[in-house]
Amino acid sequence: MFSDCLDKWYICGLKRLKRVLDKQLAKRSTAESDLEDNVQGLADRRPRRRRFTIKAHIYIVFVVSLVIAMSIGAALLLTMFMMEKNLHFIETANKYVYLVYETRDRESDYVLYGKGLNESLETVRKLEEIVLEHYGDLKKNIDYENMVRNIEKYGKLLEDVEELEGTPQAAGFAEKKEKLKAELRKYGSEMLNAADVLMKKEVESTDKMMLLFRLVHIYALVFLFVFILMVLHLLGYRVLRSLNRFASYTKLMASGQYMNIVPDNSYSDEFYDLSLAIDQMLKDLDRQQNILAQSQKLRAVGTLTAGIAHELNNPINNITLTAHMLLEDYNDLPDEERLDMVKDLIEEAGRARNIVRNLLDFARESETIMEPIGLGEVLKETLKLANHQIKIAGVNMDLKIASNMPRIHGDRHQLEQVFLNLILNALDVTVKGGLIKIEVAVSDEPNFAAVKITDYGQGIPDHILHHIFDPFFTTKAKGKGTGLGLSVSQGIIAKHGGQISVSTKVRRGTTFNVKLPITTIPADLDKRSETAIDTQMTQPVL
Amino acid sequence: MAEIVKVLLLDDEPIVGKRLKPAIAKLGCEVEVFEKPTDALKRIAEKEFDIVVTDIRMDEVDGLEVLQHVMDRSRRTKVIMITGYAMMELARQAMEKGAFDFIAKPFKPDDLRAVIVKAAESLGMSLQDRS
């Protein structure tokens, strides 16, 4: 009864497990269509996920394990019970065999020496008692009625013999006695046969029980083993795979490449929650980095402003002079001359506007727009921005751009900011009349473009070199540098999937090498970034 | 009749020379205008000017070097420097080296004319300042 109930539980548990398995398999096969959903935007997909948490998973596994453990326990109990019954039978059979042998001993005593008849009767009575008492045990293993009949007959014969012994003088005593003795031997041997059968049955049933016992143990072990493997596969694999995925994401994050963590299970669980939390964290981090980058940019703009303000003086001076002379000599001048002066005014105003526009375009806060751009153009634009600063410093710029440069995938303004930082740094360490070399070429590393900015200044000593990319680290005088330039630049380049390296020799100069990936941006990453732009997400995704 | 005041004007912005030449000429000066410092230096070597007006920041040779050349050539020549706002330090250096005065961009033609008149007076020459 109890084991039936257990069986039902067990079957129910298995069915549930099967449902879970089916669900997982179905979800995995729809993973591709899920990826397409991804393109439609993360926000759409999120509420549609079915909830199947690891907690629930563990509960299910626990309940199923409990059911299985109880079933195994019940099976063992059952076999124990059967063993006990078998032991009872063995005991009965042994008693029977023992008594039969004793009875036969008494019988032969009587036949040979003519005594012990009473004892013989006594043992037969005992035999009868045992057989009647253990009806249940014997009934299953032997022809019970025949057995009882034999014993009764034997008992009757003994009584007859006793009666005959009471009247030794009766006629035909010897003949009758011989006849009864023969009958006694016959039934005695029948009883012995039954004892043999019992012995045989005893051995058989013991063997059977041992086999059953062994099988139950083996099956329980095998089933447990398979079940544990399944649990390991389903739960362990699920947890470990997610952990591994997160580990690889954190590696990417450490190198500055913030990308959305796309949960690959199509149901929502704890890892899904975690990925949402990390996404949020990345968004916040990215926003903070953008704020930092923007503030650093404004500082750079501040540096440029002095040069630009000075440079603005030239067109304004030209306008002032021309306008005053026009006013002064208006009536004396020929029309031609007046026209020429007005044209000069317009031209100089345009010149002033251009000087300011470049700077404002660079300074304004802009969204990240990843597009194919030529590094050469970016460098030229950057030099235009820094032009006045370069003139004031009296430094010569040597810009070399390799022909047929492949385009790179990036944000124009962010890259301008990086190169401006590097150029302004180089200007700071270059003496008047010195040289700064800028080379734009394909990198030694395949699929990378490289920009090398070389100055011939004092170089960077070793103890400082480790810190130059640290935020707020600066060697410049108070109020001159924020210490954010290189740190922000590194962040921007990492987001572009590139890297900045530096080689320097004290008193010889320093080269900053910026490597950026060209043409072969992996298709899926490329797609992701487009997706991000399509869905108007502010978070830059590589 | 006083001697004619000889003025040399050097600025790498062509419009400055173009507009200031007639403006200064009105004072009764003899004006020569240059855009390239090298050309101007050559001319300074050839001829003694009474007044030299030069921009401080130019690509090839800066105003301080021009000042040095003029001082070497003739101590009596008055040098007027044109500066920008961001270059007060340079202006101070120029004054120390013997410049007569400096004038900051952007300036009006009259501002420069006033300085030129002052310079001519200090040379003992007279000009008709219209302002």
Side-chain angles (χ1 to χ4, degrees):
Chain A
M1 192 60 200
F2 179 60
S3 70
D4 278 357
C5 190
L6 274 185
D7 277 347
K8 269 181 199 161
W9 266 94
Y10 170 53
I11 286 163
C12 177
L14 274 185
K15 271 183 189 164
R16 183 137 191 203
L17 201 68
K18 189 176 174 294
R19 270 208 298 280
V20 171
L21 270 171
D22 285 347
K23 229 187 274 174
Q24 274 206 339
L25 283 174
K27 291 297 151 66
R28 210 161 288 171
S29 69
T30 55
E32 295 212 343
S33 62
D34 225 44
L35 239 153
E36 281 164 28
D37 288 355
N38 213 356
V39 176
Q40 287 167 6
L42 289 165
D44 287 353
R45 194 188 38 166
R46 281 180 176 165
R48 285 214 316 265
R49 286 170 170 263
R50 223 171 307 156
R51 188 98 180 142
F52 177 49
T53 59
I54 288 171
K55 196 165 106 181
H57 200 148
I58 289 171
Y59 280 166
I60 289 172
V61 165
F62 183 75
V63 167
V64 172
S65 307
L66 196 71
V67 168
I68 287 169
M70 283 166 82
S71 313
I72 289 172
L76 289 180
L77 267 180
L78 196 71
T79 45
M80 286 290 277
F81 178 65
M82 283 162 80
M83 280 291 268
E84 214 178 348
K85 263 173 92 179
N86 190 45
L87 273 176
H88 269 289
F89 166 64
I90 288 170
E91 213 179 313
T92 311
N94 281 345
K95 266 185 197 161
Y96 174 81
V97 170
Y98 170 75
L99 286 174
V100 165
Y101 275 99
E102 204 173 294
T103 312
R104 297 296 321 263
D105 273 354
R106 298 278 176 269
E107 182 198 315
S108 55
D109 278 356
Y110 169 69
V111 170
L112 291 177
Y113 312 112
K115 56 178 182 180
L117 192 62
N118 283 336
E119 286 89 338
S120 193
L121 254 173
E122 232 169 79
T123 51
V124 169
R125 296 275 172 263
K126 270 189 203 161
L127 200 59
E128 233 168 339
E129 252 173 54
I130 282 168
V131 170
L132 289 174
E133 193 184 328
H134 297 285
Y135 168 78
D137 283 344
L138 298 171
K139 173 81 175 154
K140 275 183 274 176
N141 295 298
I142 203 161
D143 185 356
Y144 186 75
E145 269 102 57
N146 197 26
M147 189 185 186
V148 171
R149 210 168 34 241
N150 282 338
I151 292 169
E152 271 174 2
K153 200 88 188 196
Y154 191 83
K156 189 87 184 4
L157 282 172
L158 279 181
E159 276 169 18
D160 287 350
V161 170
E162 198 178 24
E163 202 181 317
L164 192 70
E165 286 288 340
T167 54
Q169 299 85 6
F173 171 79
E175 273 166 44
K176 270 187 184 168
K177 195 175 172 182
E178 277 311 307
K179 203 183 161 198
L180 281 174
K181 272 183 186 170
E183 291 254 315
L184 263 182
R185 264 200 297 276
K186 188 187 155 207
Y187 286 104
S189 73
E190 284 284 326
M191 271 159 50
L192 261 186
N193 281 344
D196 281 349
V197 170
L198 267 184
M199 291 284 275
K200 229 180 263 169
K201 288 272 175 189
E202 189 185 312
V203 171
E204 251 174 46
S205 77
T206 306
D207 283 353
K208 224 167 90 186
M209 278 331 292
M210 288 311 281
L211 188 69
L212 182 71
F213 207 62
R214 251 200 313 266
L215 277 181
V216 165
H217 272 88
I218 287 169
Y219 282 140
L221 275 179
V222 168
F223 187 80
L224 260 183
F225 183 70
V226 170
F227 179 74
I228 284 168
L229 277 187
M230 211 157 69
V231 165
L232 266 187
H233 182 73
L234 286 181
L235 187 61
Y237 180 69
R238 179 179 170 187
V239 171
L240 285 182
R241 192 187 45 183
S242 294
L243 284 179
N244 282 340
R245 236 159 35 80
F246 278 93
S248 61
Y249 275 124
T250 51
K251 258 183 215 156
L252 280 177
M253 282 172 216
S255 69
Q257 299 183 34
Y258 297 167
M259 56 169 74
N260 279 333
I261 294 183
V262 183
D264 65 350
N265 295 328
S266 42
Y267 40 77
S268 77
D269 60 10
E270 285 86 345
F271 282 110
Y272 178 74
D273 297 344
L274 181 60
S275 74
L276 288 188
I278 290 178
D279 271 355
Q280 187 57 45
M281 182 190 80
L282 286 184
K283 264 180 210 158
D284 291 349
L285 266 181
D286 200 63
R287 199 169 48 85
Q288 279 172 16
Q289 204 183 32
N290 282 345
I291 290 170
L292 206 61
Q294 182 62 20
S295 72
Q296 196 278 332
K297 189 157 83 175
L298 291 181
R299 283 302 288 251
V301 167
T303 310
L304 292 180
T305 309
I308 279 169
H310 181 75
E311 195 60 25
L312 268 178
N313 276 334
N314 280 325
I316 291 172
N317 191 44
N318 288 340
I319 290 167
T320 312
L321 291 178
T322 307
H324 273 98
M325 290 319 290
L326 185 61
L327 192 66
E328 196 177 307
D329 297 337
Y330 189 82
N331 293 318
D332 309 332
L333 289 172
D335 280 354
E336 250 172 79
E337 186 74 21
R338 288 199 294 241
L339 269 178
D340 184 49
M341 289 171 107
V342 172
K343 270 181 204 158
D344 275 355
L345 285 176
I346 293 169
E347 217 168 87
E348 291 301 303
R351 187 177 153 196
R353 192 190 57 203
N354 278 345
I355 289 169
V356 176
R357 193 161 61 184
N358 265 350
L359 185 72
L360 289 185
D361 191 35
F362 172 72
R364 87 189 148 83
E365 215 166 322
S366 56
E367 270 190 22
T368 306
I369 299 169
M370 300 296 257
E371 57 187 349
I373 44 175
L375 269 181
E377 291 157 38
V378 175
L379 260 301
K380 279 182 197 161
E381 283 297 315
T382 312
L383 283 181
K384 239 190 252 174
L385 264 176
N387 184 36
H388 317 301
Q389 210 64 29
I390 293 165
K391 271 192 186 165
I392 290 173
V395 171
N396 299 309
M397 303 299 291
D398 178 15
L399 173 64
K400 271 188 204 145
I401 301 171
S403 55
N404 293 330
M405 271 299 290
R407 292 164 98 74
I408 63 138
H409 195 76
D411 181 275
R412 188 181 298 276
H413 285 106
Q414 287 184 0
L415 291 180
E416 271 177 24
Q417 183 178 0
V418 171
F419 296 131
L420 182 70
N421 283 335
L422 295 178
I423 289 169
L424 289 181
N425 280 350
L427 278 178
D428 278 346
V429 296
T430 303
V431 292
K432 193 167 187 174
L435 177 72
I436 293 174
K437 249 197 219 169
I438 303 176
E439 275 178 87
V440 183
V442 174
S443 173
D444 307 332
E445 200 174 325
N447 295 326
F448 274 83
V451 177
K452 284 183 192 166
I453 297 177
T454 306
D455 66 61
Y456 299 94
Q458 285 300 302
I460 307 168
D462 276 348
H463 66 279
I464 287 175
L465 195 60
H466 304 299
H467 302 294
I468 58 170
F469 290 106
D470 294 350
F472 304 110
F473 178 83
T474 182
T475 56
K476 291 177 189 170
K478 205 177 171 186
K480 281 205 97 180
T482 54
L484 286 175
L486 284 177
S487 150
V488 164
S489 297
Q490 198 184 37
I492 290 172
I493 294 301
K495 260 201 239 175
H496 281 73
Q499 58 204 42
I500 302 183
S501 57
V502 57
S503 58
T504 183
K505 263 190 186 160
V506 175
R507 283 193 293 279
R508 299 289 283 279
T510 305
T511 298
F512 279 90
N513 191 352
V514 179
K515 280 188 209 161
L516 287 163
I518 49 177
T519 50
T520 51
I521 295 165
D524 61 332
L525 292 182
D526 202 12
K527 204 172 167 187
R528 252 181 229 180
S529 81
E530 278 165 22
T531 311
I533 292 164
D534 286 349
T535 52
Q536 290 298 308
M537 285 179 64
T538 47
Q539 183 189 10
V541 184
L542 196 90
Chain B
M1 185 64 195
E3 227 184 308
I4 294 175
V5 178
K6 295 183 283 286
V7 177
L8 181 141
L9 175 64
L10 169 61
D11 194 312
D12 57 358
E13 291 282 328
I15 290 176
V16 173
K18 197 160 77 175
R19 300 301 165 216
L20 283 180
K21 190 175 181 180
I24 298 167
K26 277 188 191 167
L27 293 174
C29 303
E30 186 186 288
V31 186
E32 285 184 41
V33 170
F34 292 89
E35 283 170 37
K36 288 188 175 170
T38 43
D39 294 349
L41 287 180
K42 235 183 264 167
R43 188 70 184 136
I44 287 165
E46 286 167 15
K47 182 179 170 181
E48 190 185 307
F49 288 91
D50 299 311
I51 297 171
V52 170
V53 182
T54 177
D55 196 359
I56 282 194
R57 200 190 60 69
M58 289 171 294
D59 281 344
E60 295 158 48
V61 183
D62 77 20
L64 289 176
E65 284 173 64
V66 175
L67 170 67
Q68 199 60 50
H69 273 273
V70 175
M71 292 285 102
D72 292 347
R73 171 81 167 76
S74 108
R75 297 293 303 175
R76 65 172 284 277
T77 302
K78 300 294 172 201
V79 180
I80 299 165
M81 314 298 292
I82 301 175
T83 71
Y85 280 128
M87 314 187 87
M88 294 312 281
E89 173 60 25
L90 277 179
R92 199 181 54 74
Q93 279 179 32
M95 295 302 283
E96 273 171 16
K97 281 187 176 172
F100 175 73
D101 204 349
F102 65 88
I103 183 165
K105 276 184 183 178
F107 57 86
K108 289 177 251 175
D110 284 348
D111 298 338
L112 181 63
R113 278 194 292 226
V115 180
I116 287 175
V117 167
K118 224 165 62 182
E121 272 166 8
S122 76
L123 281 171
M125 304 166 100
S126 68
L127 290 169
Q128 325 96 348
D129 185 4
R130 295 186 329 155
S131 56

